[in-house]
Amino acid sequence: MSDLADELIAATRSMLDRIDTDTETPAQGVSDALWAALVEAGFTSVDVPTEAGGHGCDTSDAIAVLSTVIGSGALVPFIEHAMLAAWLSGTTGHDLGQGTATIGTSDAGFVVDESGEQPCVTGTVRDVVHVSAASSLVILLPETENSAGRVATISLADDGVSITAGSDLLGASIGTVTLDSVPATIAECPVTTADLRQRGALVYAAALAAAAGTVRDRTVQYASERVQFGRPLTKFQAIQQRLASMAASTTMMEIACRRAAAGASSDRRSARSATAAAKVVTSLYSHEVAAAGHQIHGAIGFTSEHPLGRSTTALWAWRDRYGTEREWADVIAAQILDDGSDPWDLITATATTSGIEQPSTERTSQ
């Protein structure tokens, strides 16, 4: 972890210490005070290019802030605004300015009308997270035979916008946005639909790992303090085994995400392999970690007021976002079976690009 990441984590923790955040599940809404503090500090544009008003830092630095926020249990639109919408808009050099944005992808029937003075868009965008908290929507328009990928940014306050919203398990708003000739800012974009899905998988994998780490820490603390039959729960062998299994699963999640975040700026093939592995591991073990946490906490962990539920519900709600473990396992399998990649190279993060082998762990025979 870089020195900058350490400083960002410390500063974010300082904010969290000063600002009270509700951890009831489901949440009654986003933490407006924390979100305002993050925006004011510039932490919502850490890895956004400087030409788009960001700081131009590494993705791993932005993920350090994300993990700290998620680990606290606070509900804010950090993923959708900072890690996805602002980043995607930033690849076109466009600064989102004030307000909160969220992200979406267009459906097959999406229409862009560029006949007037300003382009207008008509269509439907589904599964938009934090749609009720956002003032603008950044939409990735898929590339076609006649055009490269493009990004359309629209105001959700326009008269042509219709929103049908509910909420996910965590309490975050999620819904469908229907657009009828809505004015849009459109720019060509180097990001493809596959690139955005990969970025989303990386970000949500990191969020899952952070939530799992909180479940582990809370459970270990509870088991150490809770006395049953005259001794702490940690003195019982069955509890020890369950805690050890949870700790091992959480550690694998954290290591896989750390590797994927560090490799996000490497060559596309290596980055995709690392992200796929991280999403497989985090999605696969999310249910196990959540189940162990609730099992050891007993009935108290299931109450809406207990903070454990904020993190375990995140593990349930997020594990399938931007792809299930099966989908990303297929990506790894395709690299081996269809592209001829060496399984050992994927395991040790060895990549060969244009005949040049990238530095990585050497093979050893043990």
Side-chain angles (χ1 to χ4, degrees), residues 119-341:
C120 291
V121 292
T122 299
T124 303
V125 185
R126 294 180 172 83
D127 299 325
V128 180
V129 183
H130 283 300
V131 64
S132 298
S135 57
S136 61
L137 174 62
V138 178
I139 309 166
L140 178 63
L141 308 178
E143 61 278 7
T144 65
E145 293 182 357
N146 300 321
S147 66
R150 294 186 295 173
V151 170
T153 304
I154 61 104
S155 169
L156 291 174
D158 190 271
D159 292 339
V161 176
S162 175
I163 300 175
T164 303
S167 61
D168 62 12
L169 293 174
L170 206 57
S173 61
I174 182 169
T176 298
V177 179
T178 304
L179 309 174
D180 183 11
S181 295
V182 177
T185 300
I186 296 180
E188 290 191 0
C189 175
V191 177
T192 66
T193 303
D195 293 335
L196 178 60
R197 192 162 183 80
Q198 180 176 319
R199 168 83 173 192
L202 169 62
V203 171
Y204 267 104
L208 288 168
T214 297
V215 173
R216 174 200 58 206
D217 295 344
R218 289 191 182 280
T219 304
V220 170
Q221 180 180 357
Y222 177 80
S224 300
E225 296 172 349
R226 172 64 171 166
V227 175
Q228 190 71 25
F229 302 112
R231 53 180 175 162
L233 292 180
T234 50
K235 296 297 183 181
F236 293 89
Q237 186 175 26
I239 299 297
Q240 292 173 354
Q241 292 173 339
R242 198 74 167 115
L243 287 172
S245 177
M246 175 197 287
S249 298
T250 304
T251 300
M252 284 191 287
M253 294 168 75
E254 292 171 341
I255 291 174
C257 290
R258 197 175 302 127
R259 169 68 184 88
S265 301
S266 62
D267 68 275
R268 296 172 66 90
R269 185 178 181 82
S270 297
R272 187 164 179 79
S273 298
T275 295
K279 194 60 167 68
V280 168
V281 170
T282 53
S283 291
L284 183 64
Y285 286 113
S286 287
H287 179 74
E288 177 184 321
V289 172
H294 278 292
Q295 183 181 36
I296 294 173
H297 273 82
I300 190 175
F302 284 94
T303 59
S304 61
E305 297 85 0
H306 199 284
L308 178 71
R310 181 64 65 90
S311 297
T312 55
T313 303
L315 292 174
W316 294 323
W318 296 342
R319 59 180 302 197
D320 291 346
R321 286 193 181 163
Y322 288 90
T324 64
E325 61 264 35
R326 177 62 182 270
E327 176 184 333
W328 287 102
D330 286 346
V331 170
I332 298 175
Q335 290 185 343
I336 296 171
L337 299 177
D338 299 337
D339 300 339
S341 296

